[in-house]
Amino acid sequence: MVGTPWSKCTVTILILSVTCAYMTLTMNNVLLSENVPAFMKQSFHRGEVVEKRTKEANDHVPLLKHTDLIYETGRWGNPLVVKEYKLLFFTIPKVACTEWKLLFRRILGLPEWPKDVPLLYLHDPTKNQLPYLSNFTMKEAQEMLTSKEWTRAVFVREPKERVLSAFLNKFVEEPDFYVNKCCKFKSKIEKNYCIQKREEGDFIYFLNRTLDCRNPHWTPQSEAVDKKWWKQMTFVGYMDQVAGDAERLLKSIHSSEGTSAWEDFGKTGWGPHGSA
């Protein structure tokens, strides 16, 4: 009898261990292509402006085409343009893109986002009043994408952390979002099964479905930008140290008057006292 509790404890530990191992293996398989292109790891140090990579990229300058993903009319994930600081910013869902868009609205002199308006609309190009690369001519966009005078920045996130964030936000907290996107089966049985798994909060089911139900919130970060444009990035920041990297980025870009975006907007916040 004395050994019974220990046996149950041992079995519980084994089950948890196997479950964790299976989840890790599943995540590794599903997220195999989630990272940004391999050269990014080799060429960029965390949160720094990279001149060497820019020089190498300019030796073979890619040309913008109307069919390029980042120039697609009306696409929510297109790069944002901050002309005053010559910044082209590539947003990636689940990598602090909401905060960046709020900051860019502030830099552009737009009012604080209304509290009674859902943040969803902040990402809609027809409602957020932000300038996108696709709003400019091909010639202007080409310069922004290749000129040494422009900073091309992107922030990325550890893949497993990002997909977990997507799961909690879009699968658990916003059930209608997932059901409307991924439970559109012709078969009633499959549809009900999908809804059931959503109600159960089945993480493994969610992971497996990311392979056939594509959405920018959980598809690989590398797919957010056309492959040929990744090498044109001059600044790469990381979500796990977003505060420090954001500060370095804003200190590295300057207005026509010579002041940095950090001095003008970064070191103070929202509200009358600049602390919000």
Side-chain angles (χ1 to χ4, degrees):
M1 296 294 292
V2 177
T4 303
W6 172 249
S7 298
K8 289 182 179 179
C9 181
T10 302
V11 170
T12 301
I13 292 174
L14 285 173
I15 292 173
L16 289 174
S17 298
V18 171
T19 302
C20 289
Y22 174 72
M23 289 178 68
T24 300
L25 179 61
T26 303
M27 288 186 76
N28 285 338
N29 290 335
V30 171
L31 301 176
L32 190 60
S33 61
E34 168 69 14
N35 288 314
V36 294
F39 77 84
M40 300 279 283
K41 298 178 181 178
Q42 303 167 2
S43 306
F44 291 95
H45 295 292
R46 288 175 167 255
E48 72 172 359
V49 178
V50 182
E51 297 179 357
K52 180 181 179 182
R53 170 54 64 182
T54 306
K55 181 179 183 302
E56 293 174 355
N58 283 334
D59 290 339
H60 180 66
V61 179
L63 293 177
L64 178 66
K65 296 181 180 180
H66 283 290
T67 54
D68 284 359
L69 180 68
I70 61 171
Y71 198 64
E72 185 179 306
T73 303
R75 178 173 172 264
W76 287 28
N78 283 351
L80 293 165
V81 177
V82 185
K83 289 191 73 174
E84 177 62 19
Y85 294 92
K86 291 193 173 181
L87 171 67
L88 186 62
F89 192 92
F90 294 74
T91 60
I92 295 179
K94 308 311 299 177
V95 192
C97 59
T98 296
E99 287 71 20
W100 281 109
K101 287 174 182 176
L102 289 172
L103 173 63
F104 294 149
R105 279 180 55 87
R106 185 179 172 215
I107 291 177
L108 292 169
L110 296 171
E112 188 173 351
W113 190 257
K115 293 182 179 179
D116 60 339
V117 178
L119 277 175
L120 169 67
Y121 297 125
L122 176 64
H123 306 289
D124 186 344
T126 65
K127 294 181 173 63
N128 61 22
Q129 298 177 274
L130 294 171
Y132 287 78
L133 183 69
S134 51
N135 297 140
F136 295 83
T137 65
M138 291 277 287
K139 182 178 180 181
E140 291 173 320
Q142 178 71 27
E143 180 182 0
M144 295 174 191
L145 286 163
T146 59
S147 173
K148 293 180 180 180
E149 296 182 2
W150 279 76
T151 296
R152 291 168 289 278
V154 65
F155 274 69
V156 294
R157 189 173 189 174
E158 198 284 320
K160 293 176 185 177
E161 181 182 303
R162 178 173 174 263
V163 81
L164 178 59
S165 174
F167 166 75
L168 293 173
N169 180 216
K170 300 302 180 183
F171 193 81
V172 177
E173 296 173 1
E174 299 179 17
D176 290 342
F177 178 91
Y178 188 82
V179 170
N180 292 334
K181 295 287 183 182
C182 301
C183 294
K184 293 182 177 181
F185 293 103
K186 292 182 179 180
S187 165
K188 188 175 181 180
I189 294 177
E190 288 181 301
K191 183 176 181 179
N192 290 339
Y193 181 73
C194 179
I195 294 174
Q196 177 189 333
K197 287 298 181 181
R198 210 298 314 161
E199 292 174 346
E200 294 173 355
D202 193 321
F203 184 51
I204 299 301
Y205 177 80
F206 170 78
L207 275 181
N208 288 324
R209 288 301 312 283
T210 61
L211 297 174
D212 67 272
C213 181
R214 312 287 285 174
N215 185 273
H217 291 91
W218 53 75
T219 48
Q221 295 167 83
S222 58
E223 295 182 11
V225 179
D226 304 89
K227 185 177 180 180
K228 66 182 179 182
W229 295 117
W230 276 107
K231 290 189 177 183
Q232 294 299 122
M233 299 295 180
T234 56
F235 186 99
V236 176
Y238 293 80
M239 186 68 171
D240 62 359
Q241 53 181 46
V242 65
D245 285 354
E247 180 177 342
R248 277 185 280 277
L249 171 61
L250 296 177
K251 283 182 175 179
S252 73
I253 56 177
H254 297 79
S255 68
S256 56
E257 297 180 357
T259 56
S260 73
W262 174 257
E263 287 294 323
D264 296 338
F265 299 98
K267 67 179 183 181
T268 57
W270 293 96
H273 304 294
S275 59

